[in-house]
Amino acid sequence: MDGYPTMTTLALFAVVFLAQVSGSAVGLGAAAFTLALPLDHHPWTLVVSVYAHGNASHLAANTIALAIVGPAVSYLSTPFRYHAFFVLSGMVAGIAQVIAMAPFGGGSVIGASGAIFGLFGYLLVGNPASNYLLSWVSLGFRGSLVVVGILGGLVTLTTASPGVALVAHFMGFLVGALAGRYRLLHASDPAKERSRTDAV
């Protein structure tokens, strides 16, 4: 397995967490790393919040989760597609979380779990066994969306606990599952595309 993109992402986790710790020591608040409304107030947090974490235990949990699911997806894809998907799915998950929770006074989010759920959703739906099964079941787009939604809800509920960004988890999984249904991260020849990317 080629875990290189995953190792890069884990390194970014560490760098951003060190920046958070160092920043707090010099008066740089959590707002510089946390996605919150209005989204254009600190626009860099759209990306930074995906790699930032609330504390060491939060970082450890996401590190373990990414180390499990990340290499399997990176093996199917290319570094560019992997990183682009990680950021975009994390951003979509984060935006969904802050918008959904804003009426309840919880319109902020931090962490990579939405993106990790995106990778998990992709791996679950985009693998050959799932594709073979779906090819035999004619559900149509709406039917597939309902099935993915139900599956995403069940997977999300397994992580339910106080303080967990369930909307982000669900949206990340949904984005990943839909991308997996159409195999958007799959490279026609991953080894060739990876070598071409490395050579640039």
Side-chain angles (χ1 to χ4, degrees):
M1 282 188 176
D2 178 11
Y4 169 73
T6 300
M7 293 303 295
T8 301
T9 304
L10 292 175
L12 286 171
F13 284 2
V15 169
V16 173
F17 190 70
L18 287 174
Q20 290 178 263
V21 173
S22 302
S24 63
V26 297
L28 185 62
F33 302 92
T34 305
L35 182 63
L37 297 175
L39 296 176
D40 60 352
H41 185 55
H42 291 142
W44 63 86
T45 59
L46 286 165
V47 174
V48 172
S49 65
V50 177
Y51 298 94
H53 291 86
N55 51 47
S57 61
H58 187 202
L59 172 64
N62 278 344
T63 294
I64 293 170
L66 181 60
I68 292 171
V69 71
V73 178
S74 69
Y75 180 80
L76 303 170
S77 189
T78 65
F80 176 79
R81 293 186 192 191
Y82 179 96
H83 289 301
F85 178 77
F86 192 87
V87 172
L88 290 174
S89 60
M91 286 172 55
V92 170
I95 292 170
Q97 176 71 29
V98 298
I99 291 175
M101 299 308 295
F104 308 100
S108 65
V109 68
I110 191 171
S113 56
I116 294 170
F117 265 73
L119 294 176
F120 178 65
Y122 187 91
L123 188 62
L124 191 63
V125 176
N127 69 76
S130 295
N131 271 272
Y132 179 77
L133 179 62
L134 289 171
S135 69
W136 283 88
V137 181
S138 182
L139 295 174
F141 178 77
R142 290 183 182 179
S144 297
L145 194 60
V146 169
V147 170
V148 168
I150 293 171
L151 186 59
L154 293 173
V155 170
T156 300
L157 287 176
T158 64
T159 64
S161 62
V164 173
L166 292 180
V167 174
H169 289 186
F170 176 78
M171 186 57 66
F173 182 89
L174 185 62
V175 170
L178 290 175
R181 181 68 181 90
Y182 297 100
R183 301 168 69 88
L184 297 182
L185 297 184
H186 276 64
S188 54
D189 188 339
K192 286 183 179 178
E193 291 204 25
R194 266 193 289 271
S195 64
R196 185 161 56 245
T197 301
D198 294 342
V200 174

